[in-house]
Every structure is written in structure tokens, then in C-alpha cells.
Amino acid sequence: MSARHVHAVMAAGLANPHLIERWQQEPTLLREYGLSPADIDLPALWKFAGLAVKVRHNGLRGDLPWTFRLLNVLGLEADIFASYGSFLAKTGTSLGNSSEARAHDLCAFLEGWLDGENPGHCLLWDLIRHELALMQLCKTSTPDPFLQTLAPLDQGSPCAATVPRICGTIVLHAMRCDPQTVIAALRHVSPPLHTLPREPVHLCYWRQASTSDIQILHVDELGFYLLSCSDGSVSAADLSRRLVGGRRVAPNLLNGLAQLREAGILSFHNKAKKTAR
């Protein structure tokens, strides 16, 4: 077997990592190319393919620096990017044209690839969503689509008819570990990831319409629910019925709305009445 023939097969695998994945599952398939399974180090070729795919994502390092740092610490870079390259080849998917598109596509792939029972995988899933939220809010304007459909601001205490609306733009994530503690650990030469507290947190990433600053708020489950539903189209009564049922608005829900308005993240309106023509 000529070295040129072996190099050609290796090049085909690097261009299409899905071939390497198939060869690993069924090494005898290499005989179709005139090779025996012993002619090529498939695990090494798989890792090299992963590094090649990772290089094509180097433009994301500026937006996802801690995600890449964690990938390196966990030793997952080669396997994840080789698997991603195999996925792209198998599905015929091309890489996005922008850094934001590539970041979101990578995150979508990881959602299906990561093992939710693996502690390191869970940290990675939380961290990439954290950095994507910041990336999204930094690059997104904050339009107010409901300004034409809502009546003037209601300055009173929330009641059944109150319609809450987000002031600015938010991204919500429920996580198993606070990503900011993960980042603090990653600043160490040898990150003490095993010491991180694994406690569920509900985070709201908030950019006000009047500023480019982004705040990260810790909210409880009720606050998380209220923010996820406060799109300017539903009233407090609607939110209460969805959550606990019944006709009476839950007092805790009204208190939660009041606290979120006090923080500045919600404004209260009433639905604009339609006029007859």
C-alpha cells in the first residue's frame, strides 16, 4: 500500500469526519479503500479532525472565551469538534456566515450531544449559554413592538387587569450552576471545578433600552415565570390562571410583579381598547 494512497484516505476523513466515525464503528469498511484497519490510527485521525474543525471556529474565541477555556480544561475539544464536524457532514449543513450564527449552531449541536448526567458537560452547557446570552444582548437592538398596542403606563399597584411588559430586552436561563462561579474557577491555573456548588439558579440577562450595559439578575422560580410570560399581551389574571388556576389572582404573583417593576425590569400597562370604526 503506497503512502500516497494512505494520505488520500486520511485527507478524505479529515474533510468528512463522518467517514472516520463510520470507520471506527466498522473498521472493515477501510478494505473498500484497499486498506486494513491497522493501516490508519483512527483515534488519532479523529482527534486531528476535531482540531481542524476547531480551527474553523477560532473566530468565536473573542465571544466565548470561557467556553473554549472550559473545553480545554475538560479535555473535550477534539472529541466535540470532531463529532460536530461529523454531524455537519452527515446532515449536509454548512457553517454559518457570521460568528453569532456559528455560535448558535454550535450551541444547538451541544444541546443534543452533551450528557446531562455528566458534571463537566453540565458546566459546559451552562457556560456556553451564559456567554451566548451576553453575546446576543451586546449585538441586539432593543425595539419596543408593543408601544402601539398598549395604553399609557399604569403607575398604580398591580391588579388583575395589569399587563406587565419587559423594559428592554432579556434572556432567561435556568442553570445547574452559577456560570459566574465557573468563570472564577477557570481563572486558576488548575481550576478547582470539583469544588463548585451545584445549586440550580434562575438567571435573567437584562439590557435596558436606554443603555448598552447588561445586568445579570438572580430571580426565584416565580420571578422567572413572570418574566418569561411578560410579553405585553397577557394580564396578571391570565398569568395567575395559568400558574395556579382559579379566578382569584394569587397575592404572591402580584407581589412578584410589584418587585420586578421596582427593580425597573417591568412596566405596567392596560390593554388598549379597540375603538369601533
mmCIF file with all atom_site columns, all heavy atoms in Angstrom, residues 204-227:
data_model
loop_
_atom_site.group_PDB
_atom_site.id
_atom_site.type_symbol
_atom_site.label_atom_id
_atom_site.label_alt_id
_atom_site.label_comp_id
_atom_site.label_asym_id
_atom_site.label_entity_id
_atom_site.label_seq_id
_atom_site.pdbx_PDB_ins_code
_atom_site.Cartn_x
_atom_site.Cartn_y
_atom_site.Cartn_z
_atom_site.occupancy
_atom_site.B_iso_or_equiv
_atom_site.pdbx_formal_charge
_atom_site.auth_seq_id
_atom_site.auth_comp_id
_atom_site.auth_asym_id
_atom_site.auth_atom_id
_atom_site.pdbx_PDB_model_num
ATOM 1   N N   . CYS A 1 204 ? -31.565 36.021 34.812 1.00 0.00 ? 204 CYS A N   1
ATOM 2   C CA  . CYS A 1 204 ? -32.147 36.931 33.827 1.00 0.00 ? 204 CYS A CA  1
ATOM 3   C C   . CYS A 1 204 ? -31.045 37.877 33.356 1.00 0.00 ? 204 CYS A C   1
ATOM 4   O O   . CYS A 1 204 ? -30.483 38.635 34.155 1.00 0.00 ? 204 CYS A O   1
ATOM 5   C CB  . CYS A 1 204 ? -33.299 37.732 34.441 1.00 0.00 ? 204 CYS A CB  1
ATOM 6   S SG  . CYS A 1 204 ? -33.926 39.046 33.358 1.00 0.00 ? 204 CYS A SG  1
ATOM 7   N N   . TYR A 1 205 ? -30.730 37.819 32.077 1.00 0.00 ? 205 TYR A N   1
ATOM 8   C CA  . TYR A 1 205 ? -29.763 38.718 31.457 1.00 0.00 ? 205 TYR A CA  1
ATOM 9   C C   . TYR A 1 205 ? -30.563 39.870 30.864 1.00 0.00 ? 205 TYR A C   1
ATOM 10  O O   . TYR A 1 205 ? -31.406 39.660 29.992 1.00 0.00 ? 205 TYR A O   1
ATOM 11  C CB  . TYR A 1 205 ? -28.970 37.995 30.372 1.00 0.00 ? 205 TYR A CB  1
ATOM 12  C CG  . TYR A 1 205 ? -28.191 36.802 30.888 1.00 0.00 ? 205 TYR A CG  1
ATOM 13  C CD1 . TYR A 1 205 ? -28.823 35.578 31.136 1.00 0.00 ? 205 TYR A CD1 1
ATOM 14  C CD2 . TYR A 1 205 ? -26.827 36.898 31.130 1.00 0.00 ? 205 TYR A CD2 1
ATOM 15  C CE1 . TYR A 1 205 ? -28.113 34.498 31.617 1.00 0.00 ? 205 TYR A CE1 1
ATOM 16  C CE2 . TYR A 1 205 ? -26.105 35.815 31.608 1.00 0.00 ? 205 TYR A CE2 1
ATOM 17  C CZ  . TYR A 1 205 ? -26.759 34.613 31.848 1.00 0.00 ? 205 TYR A CZ  1
ATOM 18  O OH  . TYR A 1 205 ? -26.046 33.531 32.330 1.00 0.00 ? 205 TYR A OH  1
ATOM 19  N N   . TRP A 1 206 ? -30.285 41.073 31.349 1.00 0.00 ? 206 TRP A N   1
ATOM 20  C CA  . TRP A 1 206 ? -31.167 42.208 31.043 1.00 0.00 ? 206 TRP A CA  1
ATOM 21  C C   . TRP A 1 206 ? -30.367 43.372 30.489 1.00 0.00 ? 206 TRP A C   1
ATOM 22  O O   . TRP A 1 206 ? -29.407 43.828 31.092 1.00 0.00 ? 206 TRP A O   1
ATOM 23  C CB  . TRP A 1 206 ? -31.894 42.623 32.319 1.00 0.00 ? 206 TRP A CB  1
ATOM 24  C CG  . TRP A 1 206 ? -32.749 43.838 32.213 1.00 0.00 ? 206 TRP A CG  1
ATOM 25  C CD1 . TRP A 1 206 ? -33.500 44.239 31.147 1.00 0.00 ? 206 TRP A CD1 1
ATOM 26  C CD2 . TRP A 1 206 ? -32.959 44.823 33.247 1.00 0.00 ? 206 TRP A CD2 1
ATOM 27  N NE1 . TRP A 1 206 ? -34.175 45.400 31.443 1.00 0.00 ? 206 TRP A NE1 1
ATOM 28  C CE2 . TRP A 1 206 ? -33.858 45.778 32.723 1.00 0.00 ? 206 TRP A CE2 1
ATOM 29  C CE3 . TRP A 1 206 ? -32.492 44.968 34.542 1.00 0.00 ? 206 TRP A CE3 1
ATOM 30  C CZ2 . TRP A 1 206 ? -34.280 46.871 33.464 1.00 0.00 ? 206 TRP A CZ2 1
ATOM 31  C CZ3 . TRP A 1 206 ? -32.906 46.050 35.286 1.00 0.00 ? 206 TRP A CZ3 1
ATOM 32  C CH2 . TRP A 1 206 ? -33.798 46.997 34.750 1.00 0.00 ? 206 TRP A CH2 1
ATOM 33  N N   . ARG A 1 207 ? -30.814 43.845 29.324 1.00 0.00 ? 207 ARG A N   1
ATOM 34  C CA  . ARG A 1 207 ? -30.264 45.073 28.744 1.00 0.00 ? 207 ARG A CA  1
ATOM 35  C C   . ARG A 1 207 ? -31.400 46.073 28.610 1.00 0.00 ? 207 ARG A C   1
ATOM 36  O O   . ARG A 1 207 ? -32.377 45.834 27.897 1.00 0.00 ? 207 ARG A O   1
ATOM 37  C CB  . ARG A 1 207 ? -29.643 44.799 27.383 1.00 0.00 ? 207 ARG A CB  1
ATOM 38  C CG  . ARG A 1 207 ? -29.113 46.071 26.705 1.00 0.00 ? 207 ARG A CG  1
ATOM 39  C CD  . ARG A 1 207 ? -28.539 45.786 25.346 1.00 0.00 ? 207 ARG A CD  1
ATOM 40  N NE  . ARG A 1 207 ? -28.262 47.014 24.617 1.00 0.00 ? 207 ARG A NE  1
ATOM 41  C CZ  . ARG A 1 207 ? -27.872 47.062 23.351 1.00 0.00 ? 207 ARG A CZ  1
ATOM 42  N NH1 . ARG A 1 207 ? -27.704 45.949 22.671 1.00 0.00 ? 207 ARG A NH1 1
ATOM 43  N NH2 . ARG A 1 207 ? -27.659 48.224 22.768 1.00 0.00 ? 207 ARG A NH2 1
ATOM 44  N N   . GLN A 1 208 ? -31.277 47.192 29.306 1.00 0.00 ? 208 GLN A N   1
ATOM 45  C CA  . GLN A 1 208 ? -32.295 48.225 29.220 1.00 0.00 ? 208 GLN A CA  1
ATOM 46  C C   . GLN A 1 208 ? -32.229 48.915 27.861 1.00 0.00 ? 208 GLN A C   1
ATOM 47  O O   . GLN A 1 208 ? -31.179 48.985 27.223 1.00 0.00 ? 208 GLN A O   1
ATOM 48  C CB  . GLN A 1 208 ? -32.100 49.255 30.333 1.00 0.00 ? 208 GLN A CB  1
ATOM 49  C CG  . GLN A 1 208 ? -32.186 48.672 31.733 1.00 0.00 ? 208 GLN A CG  1
ATOM 50  C CD  . GLN A 1 208 ? -32.012 49.726 32.792 1.00 0.00 ? 208 GLN A CD  1
ATOM 51  O OE1 . GLN A 1 208 ? -32.772 50.686 32.856 1.00 0.00 ? 208 GLN A OE1 1
ATOM 52  N NE2 . GLN A 1 208 ? -31.005 49.562 33.637 1.00 0.00 ? 208 GLN A NE2 1
ATOM 53  N N   . ALA A 1 209 ? -33.373 49.438 27.444 1.00 0.00 ? 209 ALA A N   1
ATOM 54  C CA  . ALA A 1 209 ? -33.440 50.076 26.126 1.00 0.00 ? 209 ALA A CA  1
ATOM 55  C C   . ALA A 1 209 ? -32.557 51.306 26.037 1.00 0.00 ? 209 ALA A C   1
ATOM 56  O O   . ALA A 1 209 ? -32.092 51.663 24.956 1.00 0.00 ? 209 ALA A O   1
ATOM 57  C CB  . ALA A 1 209 ? -34.896 50.442 25.809 1.00 0.00 ? 209 ALA A CB  1
ATOM 58  N N   . SER A 1 210 ? -32.306 51.946 27.161 1.00 0.00 ? 210 SER A N   1
ATOM 59  C CA  . SER A 1 210 ? -31.586 53.224 27.147 1.00 0.00 ? 210 SER A CA  1
ATOM 60  C C   . SER A 1 210 ? -30.086 53.082 27.339 1.00 0.00 ? 210 SER A C   1
ATOM 61  O O   . SER A 1 210 ? -29.372 54.083 27.389 1.00 0.00 ? 210 SER A O   1
ATOM 62  C CB  . SER A 1 210 ? -32.140 54.129 28.249 1.00 0.00 ? 210 SER A CB  1
ATOM 63  O OG  . SER A 1 210 ? -32.002 53.505 29.523 1.00 0.00 ? 210 SER A OG  1
ATOM 64  N N   . THR A 1 211 ? -29.576 51.866 27.460 1.00 0.00 ? 211 THR A N   1
ATOM 65  C CA  . THR A 1 211 ? -28.153 51.690 27.729 1.00 0.00 ? 211 THR A CA  1
ATOM 66  C C   . THR A 1 211 ? -27.638 50.415 27.083 1.00 0.00 ? 211 THR A C   1
ATOM 67  O O   . THR A 1 211 ? -28.417 49.515 26.776 1.00 0.00 ? 211 THR A O   1
ATOM 68  C CB  . THR A 1 211 ? -27.898 51.634 29.249 1.00 0.00 ? 211 THR A CB  1
ATOM 69  O OG1 . THR A 1 211 ? -26.499 51.418 29.491 1.00 0.00 ? 211 THR A OG1 1
ATOM 70  C CG2 . THR A 1 211 ? -28.681 50.513 29.890 1.00 0.00 ? 211 THR A CG2 1
ATOM 71  N N   . SER A 1 212 ? -26.335 50.332 26.914 1.00 0.00 ? 212 SER A N   1
ATOM 72  C CA  . SER A 1 212 ? -25.719 49.118 26.382 1.00 0.00 ? 212 SER A CA  1
ATOM 73  C C   . SER A 1 212 ? -25.249 48.202 27.509 1.00 0.00 ? 212 SER A C   1
ATOM 74  O O   . SER A 1 212 ? -24.767 47.095 27.246 1.00 0.00 ? 212 SER A O   1
ATOM 75  C CB  . SER A 1 212 ? -24.517 49.484 25.490 1.00 0.00 ? 212 SER A CB  1
ATOM 76  O OG  . SER A 1 212 ? -23.547 50.198 26.239 1.00 0.00 ? 212 SER A OG  1
ATOM 77  N N   . ASP A 1 213 ? -25.390 48.659 28.749 1.00 0.00 ? 213 ASP A N   1
ATOM 78  C CA  . ASP A 1 213 ? -24.970 47.845 29.891 1.00 0.00 ? 213 ASP A CA  1
ATOM 79  C C   . ASP A 1 213 ? -25.888 46.628 30.036 1.00 0.00 ? 213 ASP A C   1
ATOM 80  O O   . ASP A 1 213 ? -27.096 46.708 29.786 1.00 0.00 ? 213 ASP A O   1
ATOM 81  C CB  . ASP A 1 213 ? -25.004 48.656 31.184 1.00 0.00 ? 213 ASP A CB  1
ATOM 82  C CG  . ASP A 1 213 ? -23.967 49.772 31.190 1.00 0.00 ? 213 ASP A CG  1
ATOM 83  O OD1 . ASP A 1 213 ? -22.977 49.645 30.442 1.00 0.00 ? 213 ASP A OD1 1
ATOM 84  O OD2 . ASP A 1 213 ? -24.157 50.754 31.922 1.00 0.00 ? 213 ASP A OD2 1
ATOM 85  N N   . ILE A 1 214 ? -25.293 45.517 30.460 1.00 0.00 ? 214 ILE A N   1
ATOM 86  C CA  . ILE A 1 214 ? -26.058 44.281 30.663 1.00 0.00 ? 214 ILE A CA  1
ATOM 87  C C   . ILE A 1 214 ? -25.973 43.901 32.137 1.00 0.00 ? 214 ILE A C   1
ATOM 88  O O   . ILE A 1 214 ? -24.880 43.854 32.710 1.00 0.00 ? 214 ILE A O   1
ATOM 89  C CB  . ILE A 1 214 ? -25.509 43.141 29.793 1.00 0.00 ? 214 ILE A CB  1
ATOM 90  C CG1 . ILE A 1 214 ? -25.657 43.487 28.307 1.00 0.00 ? 214 ILE A CG1 1
ATOM 91  C CG2 . ILE A 1 214 ? -26.240 41.829 30.106 1.00 0.00 ? 214 ILE A CG2 1
ATOM 92  C CD1 . ILE A 1 214 ? -24.961 42.516 27.381 1.00 0.00 ? 214 ILE A CD1 1
ATOM 93  N N   . GLN A 1 215 ? -27.124 43.662 32.747 1.00 0.00 ? 215 GLN A N   1
ATOM 94  C CA  . GLN A 1 215 ? -27.174 43.221 34.137 1.00 0.00 ? 215 GLN A CA  1
ATOM 95  C C   . GLN A 1 215 ? -27.554 41.741 34.172 1.00 0.00 ? 215 GLN A C   1
ATOM 96  O O   . GLN A 1 215 ? -28.335 41.273 33.347 1.00 0.00 ? 215 GLN A O   1
ATOM 97  C CB  . GLN A 1 215 ? -28.206 44.024 34.926 1.00 0.00 ? 215 GLN A CB  1
ATOM 98  C CG  . GLN A 1 215 ? -27.887 45.512 35.023 1.00 0.00 ? 215 GLN A CG  1
ATOM 99  C CD  . GLN A 1 215 ? -28.875 46.237 35.904 1.00 0.00 ? 215 GLN A CD  1
ATOM 100 O OE1 . GLN A 1 215 ? -29.161 45.818 37.024 1.00 0.00 ? 215 GLN A OE1 1
ATOM 101 N NE2 . GLN A 1 215 ? -29.418 47.337 35.399 1.00 0.00 ? 215 GLN A NE2 1
ATOM 102 N N   . ILE A 1 216 ? -26.995 41.040 35.144 1.00 0.00 ? 216 ILE A N   1
ATOM 103 C CA  . ILE A 1 216 ? -27.329 39.622 35.345 1.00 0.00 ? 216 ILE A CA  1
ATOM 104 C C   . ILE A 1 216 ? -28.029 39.522 36.694 1.00 0.00 ? 216 ILE A C   1
ATOM 105 O O   . ILE A 1 216 ? -27.431 39.779 37.742 1.00 0.00 ? 216 ILE A O   1
ATOM 106 C CB  . ILE A 1 216 ? -26.075 38.737 35.318 1.00 0.00 ? 216 ILE A CB  1
ATOM 107 C CG1 . ILE A 1 216 ? -25.318 38.927 33.996 1.00 0.00 ? 216 ILE A CG1 1
ATOM 108 C CG2 . ILE A 1 216 ? -26.468 37.269 35.504 1.00 0.00 ? 216 ILE A CG2 1
ATOM 109 C CD1 . ILE A 1 216 ? -23.998 38.186 33.938 1.00 0.00 ? 216 ILE A CD1 1
ATOM 110 N N   . LEU A 1 217 ? -29.305 39.185 36.654 1.00 0.00 ? 217 LEU A N   1
ATOM 111 C CA  . LEU A 1 217 ? -30.130 39.145 37.860 1.00 0.00 ? 217 LEU A CA  1
ATOM 112 C C   . LEU A 1 217 ? -30.448 37.712 38.253 1.00 0.00 ? 217 LEU A C   1
ATOM 113 O O   . LEU A 1 217 ? -30.813 36.893 37.400 1.00 0.00 ? 217 LEU A O   1
ATOM 114 C CB  . LEU A 1 217 ? -31.439 39.903 37.630 1.00 0.00 ? 217 LEU A CB  1
ATOM 115 C CG  . LEU A 1 217 ? -31.336 41.330 37.068 1.00 0.00 ? 217 LEU A CG  1
ATOM 116 C CD1 . LEU A 1 217 ? -32.728 41.881 36.826 1.00 0.00 ? 217 LEU A CD1 1
ATOM 117 C CD2 . LEU A 1 217 ? -30.555 42.227 38.019 1.00 0.00 ? 217 LEU A CD2 1
ATOM 118 N N   . HIS A 1 218 ? -30.326 37.423 39.540 1.00 0.00 ? 218 HIS A N   1
ATOM 119 C CA  . HIS A 1 218 ? -30.785 36.144 40.079 1.00 0.00 ? 218 HIS A CA  1
ATOM 120 C C   . HIS A 1 218 ? -32.252 36.308 40.483 1.00 0.00 ? 218 HIS A C   1
ATOM 121 O O   . HIS A 1 218 ? -32.586 37.224 41.246 1.00 0.00 ? 218 HIS A O   1
ATOM 122 C CB  . HIS A 1 218 ? -29.951 35.743 41.294 1.00 0.00 ? 218 HIS A CB  1
ATOM 123 C CG  . HIS A 1 218 ? -28.572 35.289 40.948 1.00 0.00 ? 218 HIS A CG  1
ATOM 124 N ND1 . HIS A 1 218 ? -28.154 33.985 41.114 1.00 0.00 ? 218 HIS A ND1 1
ATOM 125 C CD2 . HIS A 1 218 ? -27.517 35.954 40.418 1.00 0.00 ? 218 HIS A CD2 1
ATOM 126 C CE1 . HIS A 1 218 ? -26.897 33.873 40.720 1.00 0.00 ? 218 HIS A CE1 1
ATOM 127 N NE2 . HIS A 1 218 ? -26.486 35.055 40.298 1.00 0.00 ? 218 HIS A NE2 1
ATOM 128 N N   . VAL A 1 219 ? -33.107 35.463 39.975 1.00 0.00 ? 219 VAL A N   1
ATOM 129 C CA  . VAL A 1 219 ? -34.529 35.534 40.300 1.00 0.00 ? 219 VAL A CA  1
ATOM 130 C C   . VAL A 1 219 ? -34.991 34.182 40.821 1.00 0.00 ? 219 VAL A C   1
ATOM 131 O O   . VAL A 1 219 ? -34.364 33.147 40.554 1.00 0.00 ? 219 VAL A O   1
ATOM 132 C CB  . VAL A 1 219 ? -35.372 35.953 39.076 1.00 0.00 ? 219 VAL A CB  1
ATOM 133 C CG1 . VAL A 1 219 ? -35.003 37.353 38.619 1.00 0.00 ? 219 VAL A CG1 1
ATOM 134 C CG2 . VAL A 1 219 ? -35.201 34.968 37.919 1.00 0.00 ? 219 VAL A CG2 1
ATOM 135 N N   . ASP A 1 220 ? -36.093 34.190 41.561 1.00 0.00 ? 220 ASP A N   1
ATOM 136 C CA  . ASP A 1 220 ? -36.649 32.920 42.017 1.00 0.00 ? 220 ASP A CA  1
ATOM 137 C C   . ASP A 1 220 ? -37.531 32.331 40.922 1.00 0.00 ? 220 ASP A C   1
ATOM 138 O O   . ASP A 1 220 ? -37.679 32.907 39.836 1.00 0.00 ? 220 ASP A O   1
ATOM 139 C CB  . ASP A 1 220 ? -37.413 33.099 43.324 1.00 0.00 ? 220 ASP A CB  1
ATOM 140 C CG  . ASP A 1 220 ? -38.574 34.088 43.214 1.00 0.00 ? 220 ASP A CG  1
ATOM 141 O OD1 . ASP A 1 220 ? -39.008 34.390 42.082 1.00 0.00 ? 220 ASP A OD1 1
ATOM 142 O OD2 . ASP A 1 220 ? -39.050 34.577 44.270 1.00 0.00 ? 220 ASP A OD2 1
ATOM 143 N N   . GLU A 1 221 ? -38.111 31.161 41.183 1.00 0.00 ? 221 GLU A N   1
ATOM 144 C CA  . GLU A 1 221 ? -38.897 30.470 40.152 1.00 0.00 ? 221 GLU A CA  1
ATOM 145 C C   . GLU A 1 221 ? -40.114 31.284 39.733 1.00 0.00 ? 221 GLU A C   1
ATOM 146 O O   . GLU A 1 221 ? -40.476 31.308 38.555 1.00 0.00 ? 221 GLU A O   1
ATOM 147 C CB  . GLU A 1 221 ? -39.320 29.088 40.655 1.00 0.00 ? 221 GLU A CB  1
ATOM 148 C CG  . GLU A 1 221 ? -38.162 28.117 40.792 1.00 0.00 ? 221 GLU A CG  1
ATOM 149 C CD  . GLU A 1 221 ? -38.628 26.714 41.136 1.00 0.00 ? 221 GLU A CD  1
ATOM 150 O OE1 . GLU A 1 221 ? -39.553 26.215 40.469 1.00 0.00 ? 221 GLU A OE1 1
ATOM 151 O OE2 . GLU A 1 221 ? -38.079 26.113 42.080 1.00 0.00 ? 221 GLU A OE2 1
ATOM 152 N N   . LEU A 1 222 ? -40.748 31.962 40.694 1.00 0.00 ? 222 LEU A N   1
ATOM 153 C CA  . LEU A 1 222 ? -41.905 32.785 40.348 1.00 0.00 ? 222 LEU A CA  1
ATOM 154 C C   . LEU A 1 222 ? -41.479 33.946 39.459 1.00 0.00 ? 222 LEU A C   1
ATOM 155 O O   . LEU A 1 222 ? -42.121 34.232 38.436 1.00 0.00 ? 222 LEU A O   1
ATOM 156 C CB  . LEU A 1 222 ? -42.586 33.306 41.608 1.00 0.00 ? 222 LEU A CB  1
ATOM 157 C CG  . LEU A 1 222 ? -43.747 34.286 41.382 1.00 0.00 ? 222 LEU A CG  1
ATOM 158 C CD1 . LEU A 1 222 ? -44.852 33.629 40.551 1.00 0.00 ? 222 LEU A CD1 1
ATOM 159 C CD2 . LEU A 1 222 ? -44.297 34.798 42.717 1.00 0.00 ? 222 LEU A CD2 1
ATOM 160 N N   . GLY A 1 223 ? -40.398 34.623 39.826 1.00 0.00 ? 223 GLY A N   1
ATOM 161 C CA  . GLY A 1 223 ? -39.909 35.725 39.011 1.00 0.00 ? 223 GLY A CA  1
ATOM 162 C C   . GLY A 1 223 ? -39.533 35.269 37.616 1.00 0.00 ? 223 GLY A C   1
ATOM 163 O O   . GLY A 1 223 ? -39.795 35.968 36.625 1.00 0.00 ? 223 GLY A O   1
ATOM 164 N N   . PHE A 1 224 ? -38.926 34.094 37.537 1.00 0.00 ? 224 PHE A N   1
ATOM 165 C CA  . PHE A 1 224 ? -38.544 33.529 36.239 1.00 0.00 ? 224 PHE A CA  1
ATOM 166 C C   . PHE A 1 224 ? -39.785 33.307 35.377 1.00 0.00 ? 224 PHE A C   1
ATOM 167 O O   . PHE A 1 224 ? -39.802 33.633 34.182 1.00 0.00 ? 224 PHE A O   1
ATOM 168 C CB  . PHE A 1 224 ? -37.813 32.203 36.470 1.00 0.00 ? 224 PHE A CB  1
ATOM 169 C CG  . PHE A 1 224 ? -37.100 31.649 35.272 1.00 0.00 ? 224 PHE A CG  1
ATOM 170 C CD1 . PHE A 1 224 ? -35.823 32.084 34.949 1.00 0.00 ? 224 PHE A CD1 1
ATOM 171 C CD2 . PHE A 1 224 ? -37.695 30.675 34.474 1.00 0.00 ? 224 PHE A CD2 1
ATOM 172 C CE1 . PHE A 1 224 ? -35.135 31.553 33.856 1.00 0.00 ? 224 PHE A CE1 1
ATOM 173 C CE2 . PHE A 1 224 ? -37.031 30.146 33.383 1.00 0.00 ? 224 PHE A CE2 1
ATOM 174 C CZ  . PHE A 1 224 ? -35.742 30.590 33.072 1.00 0.00 ? 224 PHE A CZ  1
ATOM 175 N N   . TYR A 1 225 ? -40.829 32.767 35.991 1.00 0.00 ? 225 TYR A N   1
ATOM 176 C CA  . TYR A 1 225 ? -42.085 32.533 35.268 1.00 0.00 ? 225 TYR A CA  1
ATOM 177 C C   . TYR A 1 225 ? -42.701 33.848 34.803 1.00 0.00 ? 225 TYR A C   1
ATOM 178 O O   . TYR A 1 225 ? -43.103 33.988 33.635 1.00 0.00 ? 225 TYR A O   1
ATOM 179 C CB  . TYR A 1 225 ? -43.067 31.787 36.166 1.00 0.00 ? 225 TYR A CB  1
ATOM 180 C CG  . TYR A 1 225 ? -44.491 31.784 35.659 1.00 0.00 ? 225 TYR A CG  1
ATOM 181 C CD1 . TYR A 1 225 ? -44.879 30.976 34.589 1.00 0.00 ? 225 TYR A CD1 1
ATOM 182 C CD2 . TYR A 1 225 ? -45.450 32.622 36.236 1.00 0.00 ? 225 TYR A CD2 1
ATOM 183 C CE1 . TYR A 1 225 ? -46.181 30.990 34.111 1.00 0.00 ? 225 TYR A CE1 1
ATOM 184 C CE2 . TYR A 1 225 ? -46.750 32.642 35.768 1.00 0.00 ? 225 TYR A CE2 1
ATOM 185 C CZ  . TYR A 1 225 ? -47.107 31.826 34.702 1.00 0.00 ? 225 TYR A CZ  1
ATOM 186 O OH  . TYR A 1 225 ? -48.402 31.848 34.233 1.00 0.00 ? 225 TYR A OH  1
ATOM 187 N N   . LEU A 1 226 ? -42.752 34.831 35.693 1.00 0.00 ? 226 LEU A N   1
ATOM 188 C CA  . LEU A 1 226 ? -43.364 36.112 35.340 1.00 0.00 ? 226 LEU A CA  1
ATOM 189 C C   . LEU A 1 226 ? -42.612 36.796 34.200 1.00 0.00 ? 226 LEU A C   1
ATOM 190 O O   . LEU A 1 226 ? -43.224 37.324 33.263 1.00 0.00 ? 226 LEU A O   1
ATOM 191 C CB  . LEU A 1 226 ? -43.415 37.024 36.564 1.00 0.00 ? 226 LEU A CB  1
ATOM 192 C CG  . LEU A 1 226 ? -44.321 36.565 37.714 1.00 0.00 ? 226 LEU A CG  1
ATOM 193 C CD1 . LEU A 1 226 ? -44.181 37.499 38.914 1.00 0.00 ? 226 LEU A CD1 1
ATOM 194 C CD2 . LEU A 1 226 ? -45.773 36.488 37.254 1.00 0.00 ? 226 LEU A CD2 1
ATOM 195 N N   . LEU A 1 227 ? -41.298 36.774 34.262 1.00 0.00 ? 227 LEU A N   1
ATOM 196 C CA  . LEU A 1 227 ? -40.511 37.410 33.205 1.00 0.00 ? 227 LEU A CA  1
ATOM 197 C C   . LEU A 1 227 ? -40.659 36.683 31.877 1.00 0.00 ? 227 LEU A C   1
ATOM 198 O O   . LEU A 1 227 ? -40.692 37.301 30.814 1.00 0.00 ? 227 LEU A O   1
ATOM 199 C CB  . LEU A 1 227 ? -39.034 37.461 33.615 1.00 0.00 ? 227 LEU A CB  1
ATOM 200 C CG  . LEU A 1 227 ? -38.704 38.405 34.775 1.00 0.00 ? 227 LEU A CG  1
ATOM 201 C CD1 . LEU A 1 227 ? -37.252 38.239 35.191 1.00 0.00 ? 227 LEU A CD1 1
ATOM 202 C CD2 . LEU A 1 227 ? -38.982 39.855 34.381 1.00 0.00 ? 227 LEU A CD2 1
#
